[in-house]
Amino acid sequence: MSHSDRSPPLPRHVAIVMDGNGRWARKRMMPRFLGHTQGVDAVLKIVRACAERGIDYLTLFAFSSENWKRPQEEVSGLMELVIVAVSKYLRTLTEDGVRIRIVGDRSRLSDKLRAAWDEAENLTRDNRRITLSVAFNYGGRWDIVQACRRAMLDGVAPEALDEATLSRYLALSYAPDPDLFIRTGGEIRVSNFLLWQTAYAELYFTECLWPEFGEAELDAALADFARRDRRFGMVKDAPAPAPAEPLESA
């Protein structure tokens, strides 16, 4: 097979910061909440598009641990929207072979919302086509701290705590690290999302607001990813280092 016949490299795991719902609504003189509603519809399209392209893991930043600082009315509306979205789309996602996993601190969530998340996880736990992780009340720093605490509670000795061990306690321990990190909405920052896991992710920022992010925008991000030269700190095709000269005795 010639090089031109090979399929372009595909990320196994894509992580997305879904930004721009409020601005999308404001541009149309609509309440911010309608932007979030439109954003939920975009989620379904992107989950299906990723599954069709053979991506194994998709992680979406739905609600950060800093989002509690938003107006109470907006926060309450978001919580209610999640419950409605689960009931609206859960059957469809289940039939599409999507496994849903929720990552984040559930302690601050209502019983009703926790029940909705439990239902989504339980109903889809045997699905294998694509794993959709929803980061909700999640923060990258929170994730590292909770991983350290759990390791300590398990009695992991300080000298035994290495990167591989700590990784097993992180919220996304079941998934490979993201290969591609996408942020919509024009902002160029990671906003405390998957700080540990994105150490070597390729970053892709787009002005496109999340409700307008569809298959064409996803394909543009994937095409950009395929052009990246991923070295993970190494130098490709570098000659092997020469053996060290023996030290001369004094």
Side-chain angles (χ1 to χ4, degrees):
M1 181 185 289
S2 69
H3 179 75
S4 59
D5 292 332
R6 293 179 193 154
S7 299
L10 191 71
R12 189 174 178 212
H13 185 175
V14 175
I16 305 179
V17 177
M18 307 178 292
D19 199 13
N21 291 338
R23 279 170 286 159
W24 181 89
R26 192 164 63 243
K27 278 171 58 177
R28 290 159 178 76
M29 310 295 286
M30 296 175 176
R32 284 176 59 86
F33 182 72
L34 288 179
H36 294 306
T37 303
Q38 197 72 21
V40 170
D41 292 338
V43 166
L44 184 66
K45 287 186 294 187
I46 292 303
V47 173
R48 283 177 159 171
C50 285
E52 288 166 1
R53 284 154 181 76
I55 292 164
D56 294 326
Y57 296 87
L58 173 65
T59 302
L60 302 178
F61 204 6
F63 190 86
S64 80
S65 42
E66 287 76 36
N67 285 157
W68 294 102
K69 300 170 188 171
R70 292 186 177 187
Q72 181 59 42
E73 183 181 353
E74 182 175 348
V75 171
S76 299
L78 279 168
M79 299 297 167
E80 194 60 39
L81 178 61
V82 171
I83 295 169
V84 171
V86 169
S87 64
K88 181 179 179 182
Y89 291 127
L90 183 54
R91 181 177 294 277
T92 300
L93 290 169
T94 303
E95 292 171 353
D96 283 349
V98 179
R99 181 174 187 182
I100 299 172
R101 303 197 60 160
I102 314 304
V103 294
D105 182 3
R106 302 195 194 195
S107 65
R108 197 170 172 181
L109 306 182
S110 68
D111 292 343
K112 191 175 179 183
L113 186 52
R114 279 201 294 265
W117 284 141
D118 288 344
E119 181 188 10
E121 288 188 320
N122 291 332
L123 205 61
T124 63
R125 70 170 59 252
D126 295 326
N127 288 347
R128 293 291 179 268
R129 188 179 181 204
I130 184 173
T131 296
L132 168 64
S133 300
V134 180
F136 201 90
N137 196 23
Y138 174 92
R141 291 179 174 178
W142 164 86
D143 195 2
I144 295 168
V145 169
Q146 68 83 27
C148 291
R149 285 176 173 166
R150 288 174 57 213
M152 292 165 71
L153 285 170
D154 277 357
V156 177
E159 62 274 11
L161 187 62
D162 55 16
E163 291 183 19
T165 302
L166 190 62
S167 292
R168 291 198 292 269
Y169 290 94
L170 292 168
L172 278 172
S173 59
Y174 54 85
D177 286 345
D179 304 292
L180 175 61
F181 176 108
I182 299 172
R183 181 174 185 140
T184 64
E187 304 290 358
I188 304 177
R189 54 177 176 265
V190 298
S191 292
N192 197 21
F193 185 42
L194 301 179
L195 296 180
W196 176 284
Q197 296 90 339
T198 55
Y200 277 100
E202 299 298 324
L203 307 181
Y204 180 86
F205 300 97
T206 173
E207 296 284 337
C208 181
L209 302 176
W210 175 248
E212 298 170 340
F213 191 86
E215 290 194 42
E217 289 73 25
L218 175 65
D219 286 337
L222 295 177
D224 186 82
F225 173 83
R227 292 191 292 270
R228 304 285 179 96
D229 182 17
R230 309 189 77 204
R231 296 188 299 276
F232 302 98
M234 299 177 288
V235 177
K236 286 187 176 177
D237 303 322
E245 292 290 330
L247 292 174
E248 293 182 10
S249 58

